[in-house]
Amino acid sequence: MAKEFNIQDWQKKHLNEQGGFDDRFKDAMSGAGFSDDEQDDIMSRDINKSFPSEPGDEPNDGYKAARAFIDEFREITYKKLSQEDLDQFSKEMVLHFLDNTTAAAAAKIHFGKKGL
């Protein structure tokens, strides 16, 4: 009978053998372009919460407010804009939201998964 695989045992053994996980993670984040402040913000998060939130997480008030705002934009504001104006509007909104370290980190992860 094959021995049952335990991921926690494997992680304890292999992560400890390869040096501190925090150090390797910070090195990887530096290589990905995260600033020291962004790294500190990410590293200080509760490890029991997914980052950024994963599908299936319970939507909180921030998520619900964002979705309502997006729906309103699509129904009202977007319809009033030409394609050129919509492109400029979208660019300005992205730049506005990227001032937040969590949003910037989510964007880096999003584009990293796409290889961009």
Side-chain angles (χ1 to χ4, degrees):
M1 180 176 211
K3 182 179 175 186
E4 188 173 309
F5 179 76
N6 183 312
I7 187 68
Q8 286 83 14
D9 292 342
W10 183 89
Q11 288 174 328
K12 285 178 189 173
K13 178 181 178 190
H14 288 85
L15 292 179
N16 288 336
E17 285 177 358
Q18 298 174 3
F21 175 77
D22 288 350
D23 293 335
R24 290 184 296 116
F25 187 59
K26 283 186 85 87
D27 289 344
M29 287 194 307
S30 292
F34 286 93
S35 71
D36 289 340
D37 288 339
E38 290 170 323
Q39 291 178 34
D40 291 342
D41 183 47
I42 293 166
M43 297 294 284
S44 68
R45 296 195 179 268
D46 181 355
I47 61 170
N48 294 315
K49 289 187 173 182
S50 58
F51 177 79
S53 61
E54 295 291 330
D57 286 352
E58 289 298 315
N60 62 20
D61 290 340
Y63 173 85
K64 292 174 187 174
R67 292 308 316 168
F69 199 60
I70 291 166
D71 291 343
E72 181 181 331
F73 268 146
R74 288 184 176 154
E75 287 298 315
I76 299 168
T77 306
Y78 285 10
K79 291 181 179 181
K80 296 178 185 177
L81 299 173
S82 69
Q83 185 61 49
E84 184 179 319
D85 291 339
L86 181 58
D87 290 344
Q88 185 63 38
F89 174 83
S90 297
K91 175 186 167 191
E92 293 303 317
M93 292 303 293
V94 165
L95 293 173
H96 164 73
F97 287 119
L98 288 177
D99 284 340
N100 176 287
T101 57
T102 301
K108 287 180 181 182
I109 290 167
H110 172 80
F111 288 115
K113 287 179 180 178
K114 293 183 178 253
L116 301 174

